[in-house]
Amino acid sequence: MAQSPGPRELRFTVNGMNFAAQEWGDSTQLPVLALHGWLDNAASFFALAPRLKNLHIVALDMAGHGQSEHRPGQMAYTPWDDINDILAVADHFGWERFVLLGHSRGAIIGTLAAGTFPERFIALGLVEGLLPEPARAEEAPKQLASAIQGLRVQQRKIPSIYPDMSIAIRARERGMFPLGHAAAKALTERGVVAQAGGVSWSTDPRLLAPSMIKLSREHLHAFVNQVSAPIKLLLAHDGLPKLYANYLHEVEQFPQVDYEVLSGGHHLHMEREVDLVAEKLNRFFSQFIK
């Protein structure tokens, strides 16, 4: 049975914060928590989720993104807080174990979460993301200083205002990873707030600050090696393997990761390659459907 084409909107509170999400399927189906990439939102799955079969998908606007609440005060955005959030979201839905579907930063957070709490995860379906870039231990003081300074800079910034939605969509099309119109439109419509004179991004600007701490290669390998769930990783020919020369070499350090490189760019799950992505993930997820 295929999913219904249109998502249902969800609002709920976990860990003292208000979250928004989109939902496909129902509670009788395999539970899937979908996590979007950096500066994206739940609309990242607007094309893929309706093509996935027999799944109960909840695509979360992660903290500071989309229509979810920003973290309070001067808090930074760290993977550790996101891991805490996604487990609380799973608890909210009564999911003792669940599948993680992640894109980019969402895939990275999913991998780290599954290494931290392997008993909670049935499987990981990852698109263009596995682990963050490693750092050397001696770089930690400089990294922390850069992050704190970055937070202060972002808090002083005045948000850009676009006089109408079409201009905001065009700006999103020309982002770090270029997007087609339909994909940019979906992300923009969910990712802006009304302002006097137009719209501005709803994303918390603190997400633009550098990471507080970056883990070493040994740390990162320890997380992946603790994951007990099967992992399917779909990469794009013009995505991360093109951006980082040694990316595939790093992935191949983990024989437990089943990966494929497909045509397309970083957001291939939102673009014309979405049917192929759905085919690969349906085949992978089908083995966990009772």
Side-chain angles (χ1 to χ4, degrees):
M1 181 177 66
Q3 306 283 21
S4 57
R8 297 178 296 278
E9 292 291 333
L10 302 178
R11 297 290 187 276
F12 50 87
T13 301
V14 298
N15 288 342
M17 287 183 58
N18 298 317
F19 285 87
Q22 294 184 312
E23 179 185 41
W24 291 260
D26 62 62
S27 60
T28 66
Q29 297 170 311
L30 184 70
V32 178
L33 183 62
L35 303 181
H36 59 78
W38 182 59
L39 305 184
D40 289 346
N41 53 59
S44 179
F45 300 97
F46 88 107
L48 179 60
R51 290 169 163 84
L52 298 178
K53 299 176 181 178
N54 301 315
L55 304 177
H56 178 203
I57 300 173
V58 173
L60 183 68
D61 284 338
M62 298 179 73
H65 294 80
Q67 298 175 20
S68 287
E69 192 173 0
H70 295 185
R71 295 208 185 279
Q74 298 183 21
M75 282 186 67
Y77 286 83
T78 74
W80 330 122
D81 292 310
D82 288 318
I83 290 169
N84 192 14
D85 288 342
I86 66 174
L87 291 174
V89 170
D91 291 344
H92 172 81
F93 287 100
W95 296 348
E96 184 177 345
R97 299 180 73 234
F98 59 99
V99 171
L100 192 289
L101 171 62
H103 172 247
S104 194
R105 182 178 183 269
I108 290 169
I109 290 167
T111 302
L112 296 173
T116 307
F117 296 97
E119 70 280 1
R120 298 297 302 270
F121 293 84
I122 298 169
L124 305 183
L126 309 179
V127 180
E128 279 279 288
L130 179 67
L131 287 172
E133 285 187 277
R136 297 191 301 272
E138 59 267 26
E139 296 172 342
K142 185 177 179 180
Q143 181 69 36
L144 182 57
S146 177
I148 293 173
Q149 290 166 353
L151 283 173
R152 293 179 174 182
V153 168
Q154 293 301 328
Q155 287 174 323
R156 292 195 297 266
K157 278 190 175 180
I158 298 173
S160 299
I161 296 178
Y162 301 93
D164 61 61
M165 187 72 77
S166 64
I167 296 174
I169 292 170
R170 286 200 296 273
R172 191 65 183 82
E173 290 174 352
R174 300 189 297 267
M176 177 181 176
F177 295 104
L179 286 173
H181 179 75
K185 182 174 183 289
L187 289 174
T188 302
E189 287 178 345
R190 192 171 181 85
V192 296
V193 290
Q195 301 278 11
V199 297
S200 64
W201 302 116
S202 63
T203 308
D204 192 332
R206 284 177 288 172
L207 283 154
L208 295 166
S211 300
M212 285 283 182
I213 294 292
K214 290 187 176 183
L215 298 181
S216 69
R217 180 169 275 100
E218 291 78 11
H219 281 120
L220 296 174
H221 281 230
F223 278 96
V224 179
N225 289 329
Q226 284 297 309
V227 177
S228 59
I231 303 172
K232 181 67 176 182
L233 171 61
L234 300 178
L235 297 169
H237 182 269
D238 293 324
L240 297 180
K242 185 176 182 179
L243 186 63
Y244 300 105
N246 294 321
Y247 196 85
L248 293 182
H249 174 74
E250 289 295 320
V251 170
E252 289 167 356
Q253 303 307 301
F254 308 106
Q256 68 271 43
V257 177
D258 176 14
Y259 82 90
E260 294 184 64
V261 181
L262 309 179
S263 62
H266 186 59
H267 287 83
L268 73 165
H269 68 303
M270 301 183 71
E271 304 277 20
R272 61 186 178 184
E273 299 83 11
V274 64
D275 286 326
L276 180 58
V277 173
E279 176 188 330
K280 300 287 186 181
L281 289 175
N282 276 323
R283 188 177 303 138
F284 175 63
F285 291 145
S286 66
Q287 62 189 300
F288 309 108
I289 297 173
K290 297 179 181 179

